[in-house]
Amino acid sequence: MTILFLKIRKFLRRIYPRLFARLPISVRLAAGHGLLMLILLPMVGFGIYNMVRRDLLKSVDGALLVSGESMHASRSSEGLVKGGLDQFLLNFSGEREVNAYARIVDLSGNIRNHSNRDDVSLPVSRIAMARAEQGASTFESWDRPDKAPFRQLTMPVIVNGLFTGSLVQVGTPLDATYATLKQIRNVFYLAFPAILCVCVIAGYIMARRSLAPVDGMRRAAEQLSGSDLSHRIEVPLVRDELHDLADTFNRMLGRLEDAFERQRRFNSDVSHELRTPLTAIRGEAELALRRIRTTEEYRTALETIQRESLSMGCTVDDLLLLARAEACALPNVKTVVSTGDFLVAAAAKASALGKNKQIAVKIIESEAPVSFIAAENYLSVAIGNLLSNAIKHSPEQGIVTLSCKKGKGESVLFTVSDQGEGIPKGLLEQIFDPFFRVDSARNRIAGGVGIGLSLARAMAKLHGGNVRAESTTGNGSQFHLSIQQAAT
Ligand code: ADP
């Protein structure tokens, strides 16, 4: 059975690409259904046919056995049945016309008594003889030319537990049984092709109906374009696989729409941010060229141009770094960084920035690891941005703290706190969007273009971590930067 199954599987695998791969799914499903039925129906039919055949033969055998046993019981001491066997068979089967044959023979083949049917002349087989000597009865079927086989029971005559040498034989032609079996076969021959056709057609219709929403999705997807992602696919009412597919597809469209929107906003923000210094550079140059200037005036103009182009260069560098970090295209070479040295260097750079406002940068190292593994240059960009923001937003003579401690698992947590104006609760996530500024005019004057926090988050993500902000308006802000690196 397993070998047959494996052979069928191998056969299907071989013919599948050739037969089905290029057909539409509904045709493929219907054809697969039909093929399965083509294999199953004959198997089921064969099983049913054999079961019925076995049961019919069993009932014939049962009738023969009862007849044989009755003959054995009513046998006279001479081994002959009183009243003749035909009369016996008639008595046994009531008034119905009997189509059975019976006889009593001995082992040498002498017939002691037999019914009056002379169209039956059957041998006593060697097997039946051998079994009779051991006291066992034998059922046999004899083929007859152009007729249904003949079924016969050979039963040894046993007296006082000993085989007497006589055999009771009862037989009947299997015409009725074979006629019934033929009828069953005919029903199968007619029914199977009809069932097969119905299955294939019903399978095709069902497959077409089930796949109808897919066609709807295809048409909806065709209407989508890069510039308009607002279309959504109709979600089928029934909660099935296609409902989930349409739902997932719609959510994916939502995410794509968001991403496209962010990209569009980013592009327009970039152009806007670069236009400001470019306008300043062009204005300064035009002003300087309007008439002959003194050397001092040319120097001042060139210094302004240099300052603006430097700031533009920094913005472009930051944008490039951000784009590469988000595309995971930065060489991520991690080394063991000494916590103390790292914090001191970051605080020193920040102190220099806060010198004018007399801001003190303090380091807190509670439960900090001695060292950690990180890409030091990228991590210092992130911490540097957080510190420079803290200084920008701190009041004069304020205190900015930088702390480091072991986080959950293998993470290291840096926190930058300030005593500045704080950030409104509703904007705590938005401030991480590129070019977002809580107060554009003020931040621009302070020298920010709005990508410091996006960059810090991108750098943290490079380390498997993140940055999040906590703040109460008017009460300062805390920025927590975590990195998922094995601390040593
Ligand atoms: P910018 O270059 O303008 O500082 P960022 O991306 O670093 O850009 O910050 C985005 C915005 O978040 C800032 O414009 C500012 O409004 C707000 N912000 C960032 N850090 C702080 C802070 N420590 N205190 C108050 N507001 C802050």
Side-chain angles (χ1 to χ4, degrees):
M1 197 68 186
T2 324
I3 295 172
L4 180 72
F5 174 73
L6 288 176
K7 277 196 173 163
I8 291 175
R9 202 174 70 167
K10 198 172 158 196
F11 170 71
L12 286 179
R13 277 204 180 149
R14 218 180 48 228
I15 63 160
Y16 185 83
R18 277 186 233 163
L19 272 183
F20 296 123
R22 288 185 204 146
L23 296 173
I25 294 181
S26 43
V27 178
R28 237 186 293 169
L29 283 173
H33 204 194
L35 203 67
L36 200 69
M37 281 295 167
L38 201 66
I39 296 167
L40 285 182
L41 281 177
M43 279 162 77
V44 172
F46 185 72
I48 293 176
Y49 180 81
N50 275 316
M51 232 161 63
V52 173
R53 185 173 183 275
R54 204 189 52 210
D55 285 354
L56 286 176
L57 281 180
K58 235 187 199 172
S59 70
V60 169
D61 287 354
L64 289 178
L65 192 64
V66 173
S67 309
E69 277 171 352
S70 300
M71 272 181 66
H72 188 281
S74 59
R75 178 189 49 84
S76 76
S77 54
E78 293 84 36
L80 296 171
V81 175
K82 288 174 194 153
L85 286 175
D86 281 336
Q87 188 54 45
F88 165 76
L89 289 171
L90 196 60
N91 291 344
F92 182 73
S93 56
E95 292 310 313
R96 281 181 293 128
E97 197 189 325
V98 186
N99 195 17
Y101 150 92
R103 68 178 181 176
I104 296 177
V105 286
D106 60 24
L107 284 179
S108 334
N110 301 323
I111 299 173
R112 303 259 185 95
N113 199 354
H114 68 89
S115 60
N116 289 332
R117 290 195 57 164
D118 27 330
D119 61 326
V120 181
S121 129
L122 295 169
V124 177
S125 74
R126 278 161 184 264
I127 296 174
M129 254 197 249
R131 282 173 58 81
E133 275 167 7
Q134 289 164 15
S137 303
T138 308
F139 287 102
E140 291 161 300
S141 291
W142 299 105
D143 286 331
R144 299 180 303 167
D146 304 327
K147 283 184 184 167
F150 197 88
R151 188 79 175 158
Q152 178 178 280
L153 165 68
T154 304
M155 179 184 269
V157 176
I158 305 221
V159 176
N160 297 331
L162 289 173
F163 176 41
T164 58
S166 295
L167 299 166
V168 170
Q169 286 194 306
V170 198
T172 182
L174 294 174
D175 298 60
T177 308
Y178 272 64
T180 311
L181 289 174
K182 195 176 172 192
Q183 269 173 5
I184 294 174
R185 272 201 314 268
N186 287 344
V187 168
F188 283 172
Y189 289 151
L190 282 176
F192 283 179
I195 293 175
L196 193 67
C197 287
V198 169
C199 280
V200 171
I201 294 169
Y204 178 74
I205 294 171
M206 269 159 61
R208 290 279 311 186
R209 289 231 172 128
S210 312
L211 292 171
V214 175
D215 203 41
M217 287 182 204
R218 183 191 57 75
R219 270 183 274 119
E222 256 172 17
Q223 283 172 9
L224 297 169
S225 68
S227 55
D228 182 11
L229 289 168
S230 61
H231 283 288
R232 291 291 177 271
I233 287 167
E234 201 182 307
V235 181
L237 290 176
V238 186
R239 260 208 94 89
D240 57 4
E241 292 86 346
L242 291 175
H243 174 286
D244 292 349
L245 178 67
D247 199 40
T248 312
F249 199 78
N250 279 344
R251 273 185 282 129
M252 183 194 75
L253 282 178
R255 285 197 299 276
L256 272 180
E257 196 179 11
D258 277 357
F260 269 85
E261 186 47 41
R262 267 207 309 278
Q263 191 65 43
R264 227 188 330 247
R265 225 175 24 232
F266 184 80
N267 291 345
S268 96
D269 287 343
V270 169
S271 353
H272 182 75
E273 288 307 326
L274 293 181
R275 207 171 45 216
T276 313
L278 271 176
T279 311
I281 290 170
R282 201 174 57 208
E284 198 65 33
E286 278 173 2
L287 197 70
L289 290 171
R290 210 166 276 169
R291 60 181 169 82
I292 304 288
R293 307 269 177 191
T294 62
T295 317
E296 198 50 40
E297 282 172 329
Y298 280 128
R299 170 174 274 284
T300 312
L302 284 173
E303 276 171 0
T304 311
I305 290 173
Q306 187 188 36
R307 202 175 44 248
E308 288 298 335
S309 54
L310 270 176
S311 116
M312 210 167 81
C314 286
T315 307
V316 171
D317 285 348
D318 281 356
L319 282 173
L320 208 62
L321 193 60
L322 181 65
R324 283 196 185 149
E326 284 181 347
C328 296
L330 284 176
N332 198 355
V333 187
K334 291 180 180 163
T335 51
V336 177
V337 182
S338 149
T339 310
D341 293 351
F342 179 78
L343 294 179
V344 168
K349 268 194 218 159
S351 298
L353 286 176
K355 211 170 185 177
N356 289 346
K357 286 164 81 180
Q358 298 177 336
I359 291 168
V361 181
K362 289 189 177 168
I363 295 173
I364 304 168
E365 269 187 79
S366 63
E367 300 165 38
V370 180
S371 59
F372 54 87
I373 296 170
E376 189 176 358
N377 48 345
Y378 301 142
L379 190 62
S380 53
V381 168
I383 298 287
N385 285 356
L386 297 182
L387 283 169
S388 88
N389 276 350
I391 286 166
K392 266 192 263 172
H393 295 274
S394 284
E396 288 208 2
Q397 296 178 342
I399 297 173
V400 169
T401 58
L402 168 62
S403 71
C404 176
K405 62 175 182 177
K406 276 184 184 170
K408 277 185 200 156
E410 295 295 303
S411 68
V412 183
L413 189 70
F414 299 89
T415 302
V416 175
S417 309
D418 63 56
Q419 301 165 328
E421 77 273 12
I423 304 159
K425 275 233 156 2
L427 300 179
L428 284 175
E429 212 18 64
Q430 245 175 304
I431 53 172
F432 291 95
D433 288 347
F435 300 107
F436 180 84
R437 284 167 290 206
V438 176
D439 180 345
S440 297
R442 216 180 117 191
N443 280 114
R444 200 187 294 274
I445 292 164
V449 290
I451 48 173
L453 286 181
S454 324
L455 206 52
R457 184 169 263 184
M459 295 297 133
K461 283 189 173 167
L462 266 189
H463 289 83
N466 203 352
V467 187
R468 58 183 185 83
E470 272 176 28
S471 180
T472 321
T473 321
N475 248 340
S477 316
Q478 293 85 48
F479 284 85
H480 306 283
L481 184 150
S482 62
I483 55 167
Q484 287 293 335
Q485 302 297 313
T488 57

